[in-house]
Amino acid sequence: MSKLIFEKNIPGSNAFSLPVFDGGHPAVETSIPAQFLRQAQPQLPEVSEVEAVRHFTELSTRAYGVDSGLYPLGSCTMKYNPKINEWGARLPGMACLHPYQPQDTMQGALQLYYEMQAMLAEITGMDSFSLQPAAGAHGEMTGVLIMKAYHQHRQDHKRTRMMVPDSAHGTNPATANVVGFDVIEIKSGARGLVDLEDLRAKMSDEVAGLMLTNPNTLGLFEEDIEEIAAIVHEGGGLLYYDGANLNGIMGVARPGDMGFDVVHVNLHKTFSTPHGGGGPGSGPVGVKSPLADFLPVPVAAKQGDTYRFDYDRPLSIGKVKNFYGNFGVIVKAYAYIKALGGAGLKEACQHAVLNANYLRHRLRGAYHIPQDRLCKHEFVATSRNQTPQGVTTLDIAKRLIDYGYHPPTVYFPLIVHEAIMIEPTETEARQRLDDFAAAMEAIAREAQENPEVVIQAPHNADIKRVDEVTAARKPVLKWEGS
Ligand SMILES: *Cc1c(COP(=O)(O)O)cnc(C)c1O
């Protein structure tokens, strides 16, 4: 186990050398009342520069990321993030901007911002975009606030309910709830798609709209999308598109053409910003023109050859993020989109779909795949074949750690019992997919021949099985001494 830096404390050492201050003690003036001032020095670790470098270098080698190996985490699109994106985001003209500096001194950044709005609109088939939201769930909240503002502006105050399919990402019902809607769950049919009868039965003049992911969380394309859109629109509702994972259709199909009115996309995920460590992310929101006036302020606009932020938007829902969103992430996504171009985005999508279908074919013998037909960027398997031996999905995920892989998403979507959700992404070569499939097949064999080795996994990791209930109920979040 790694030691904490506090445990590496060597009293008297430090990682800086500054000239001695010989001006005596300057009077410390503060308006903070004395009783709130610190009485003793903070107990910070004392380490030399080399000790600090060793500590953090060691930690960095213990994290598993997409730069270490295949990362099949379904619904998360852990694709490789080209390093050139980082170069772009770190350019002084991007990284050293001050949000309060005059707009005429940051025309280049504003141009990038403006073009990004337009590129995302083209990719998704929407009319206007806001780049403010800081993540997918934040984009959902922004989009659903816009839907609410739209209905209220039309004096349609009866629409207090939001429809969400039972296969939805957990953020969808959570978002609808946070914005103040009552959630109505729509059932999936036997083929894993929205049950049209259930949708028809639940659509009413009290429903603000439907939040949908397409391809859905089973990786399946909602084939009835035009009929779904018609049912919602004829009932006076709006259609929200959760585009967190656009990998499955990017460059091939557009939510705007399917009838969606509002979308969000995750720039981290589809547009290749590193994620998984808690951010920063970016979840831009796009809308069709009848909703454009409700977008957050400001949006980037162009007048002649000049770019500026437009704040004059009286119907706007307001601001959802300080300043303009996570600009560095926007720069990375811009670099990615510009490097690939339209044809490249389409190719990335096609490879993502090909890779998912390749793995699905390879694994269909070893694992049960409930919807074993053409999928988009991901597919869902289960541990049903392993159940008789007492091996669960969690056991398989833990055993994959021994084989050197980050486990896939498990127990989601909720409608599939013991789900194992695999999304290889387009940036894996066929050889690497074969390696991963071989590991999955080896685990399936172990489950038949020697299930205990799977049930007791992981064997090679520092941390074995943890008591997840206690970890969740009584988390220890600070160092309490050794
Ligand atoms: C990841 C994801 C989200 C949430 O995105 P965050 O950036 O994590 O908030 C929403 N919907 C789907 C389908 C997702 O995969």
Side-chain angles (χ1 to χ4, degrees):
M1 287 292 293
S2 302
K3 281 186 174 175
L4 297 174
I5 196 159
F6 289 90
E7 296 166 297
K8 295 180 178 171
N9 191 50
I10 301 173
S13 54
N14 65 44
F16 61 87
S17 58
L18 292 173
V20 178
F21 179 68
D22 58 3
H25 284 287
V28 179
E29 276 180 38
T30 169
S31 55
I32 301 171
Q35 80 241 47
F36 298 125
L37 287 177
R38 195 194 292 284
Q39 301 304 319
Q41 287 299 314
Q43 299 295 300
L44 297 176
E46 296 176 274
V47 291
S48 65
E49 179 171 326
V50 65
E51 289 286 316
V53 168
R54 283 179 186 158
H55 177 73
F56 289 108
T57 303
E58 198 233 323
L59 283 185
S60 76
T61 65
R62 300 169 71 86
Y64 190 98
V66 74
D67 291 355
S68 346
L70 185 142
Y71 204 138
L73 198 64
S75 200
C76 289
T77 313
M78 304 304 276
K79 61 163 85 174
Y80 176 71
N81 310 293
K83 300 300 173 230
I84 187 110
N85 300 352
E86 303 294 332
W87 166 84
R90 259 191 241 125
L91 289 172
M94 301 296 173
C96 302
L97 287 171
H98 192 286
Y100 281 137
Q101 77 187 60
Q103 294 188 24
D104 60 0
T105 66
M106 50 183 221
Q107 284 293 300
L110 264 164
Q111 180 180 353
L112 182 149
Y113 200 94
Y114 175 84
E115 288 180 7
M116 188 67 177
Q117 292 174 177
M119 292 193 306
L120 291 176
E122 187 178 337
I123 291 168
T124 57
M126 291 287 151
D127 296 318
S128 307
F129 252 89
S130 166
L131 308 183
Q132 253 181 56
H138 196 200
E140 289 175 34
M141 189 199 78
T142 305
V144 172
L145 279 171
I146 289 171
M147 291 164 75
K148 188 175 185 175
Y150 169 84
H151 289 305
Q152 293 194 340
H153 184 65
R154 299 170 72 240
Q155 306 300 325
D156 192 350
H157 298 294
K158 267 208 306 209
R159 298 189 187 267
T160 56
R161 319 179 91 191
M162 184 67 72
M163 300 192 295
V164 180
D166 57 9
S167 63
H169 195 263
T171 49
N172 293 185
T175 295
N177 189 275
V178 161
V179 177
F181 288 105
D182 295 326
V183 175
I184 312 178
E185 190 172 274
I186 305 297
K187 283 202 214 78
S188 300
R191 294 185 71 241
L193 305 176
V194 168
D195 180 335
L196 291 180
E197 286 318 305
D198 198 44
L199 181 69
R200 259 190 218 102
K202 288 173 180 164
M203 186 63 215
S204 76
D205 61 1
E206 293 180 5
V207 171
L210 168 70
M211 297 180 79
L212 196 64
T213 310
N214 192 19
N216 67 22
T217 61
L218 292 161
L220 302 172
F221 192 80
E222 294 282 354
E223 296 155 11
D224 299 318
I225 184 57
E226 286 174 324
E227 192 160 353
I228 292 171
I231 294 169
V232 175
H233 285 152
E234 277 160 24
L238 296 170
L239 213 55
Y240 182 92
Y241 185 83
D242 177 341
N245 317 104
L246 210 61
N247 251 30
I249 62 161
M250 166 177 75
V252 176
R254 309 194 306 171
D257 300 334
M258 298 176 203
F260 285 92
D261 304 290
V262 188
V263 317
H264 89 264
V265 294
N266 279 19
L267 297 187
H268 57 291
K269 292 189 184 173
T270 312
F271 298 99
S272 85
T273 274
H275 65 288
S282 178
V285 168
V287 295
K288 288 284 182 61
S289 45
L291 298 167
D293 288 345
F294 303 103
L295 282 174
V297 278
V299 291
K302 188 179 181 187
Q303 271 173 334
D305 289 334
T306 308
Y307 299 91
R308 63 181 179 82
F309 278 123
D310 178 13
Y311 285 89
D312 184 19
R313 306 177 63 83
L315 293 181
S316 166
I317 61 165
K319 279 190 77 63
V320 295
K321 174 94 175 74
N322 49 343
F323 303 114
Y324 319 113
N326 285 327
F327 185 63
V329 179
I330 294 165
V331 177
K332 291 180 209 183
Y334 180 90
Y336 178 77
I337 294 171
K338 281 288 191 186
L340 263 63
L345 291 179
K346 180 176 179 179
E347 212 183 317
C349 163
Q350 290 169 332
H351 281 266
V353 171
L354 181 62
N355 281 358
N357 280 288
Y358 179 77
L359 267 187
R360 181 175 58 80
H361 271 259
R362 277 278 319 245
L363 294 179
R364 60 155 54 128
Y367 293 89
H368 166 239
I369 299 174
Q371 303 291 339
D372 193 9
R373 61 179 199 271
L374 193 69
C375 63
K376 291 290 174 274
H377 59 297
E378 64 193 2
F379 67 97
V380 176
T382 86
S383 56
R384 194 172 83 181
N385 298 350
Q386 289 72 36
T387 307
Q389 277 65 45
V391 171
T392 65
T393 284
L394 185 70
D395 301 331
I396 293 164
K398 297 288 185 192
R399 185 63 178 143
L400 264 173
I401 296 171
D402 286 335
Y403 281 86
Y405 288 101
H406 191 287
T409 297
V410 293
Y411 299 98
F412 174 76
L414 303 177
I415 55 171
V416 177
H417 186 60
E418 294 281 318
I420 304 173
M421 185 195 221
I422 298 176
E423 180 183 14
T425 84
E426 74 280 13
T427 56
E428 294 304 326
R430 206 201 77 199
Q431 288 78 353
R432 296 292 88 79
L433 300 179
D434 287 337
D435 295 344
F436 175 71
M440 287 292 287
E441 286 160 358
I443 295 170
R445 266 195 311 279
E446 288 173 343
Q448 300 304 322
E449 295 161 6
N450 184 11
E452 275 310 303
V453 78
V454 184
I455 292 167
Q456 302 293 332
H459 303 274
N460 305 338
D462 276 346
I463 297 177
K464 310 287 184 243
R465 293 290 173 109
V466 295
D467 177 349
E468 292 182 5
V469 174
T470 306
R473 298 270 157 79
K474 294 180 189 156
V476 180
L477 300 176
K478 67 181 193 353
W479 184 62
E480 288 177 337
S482 49

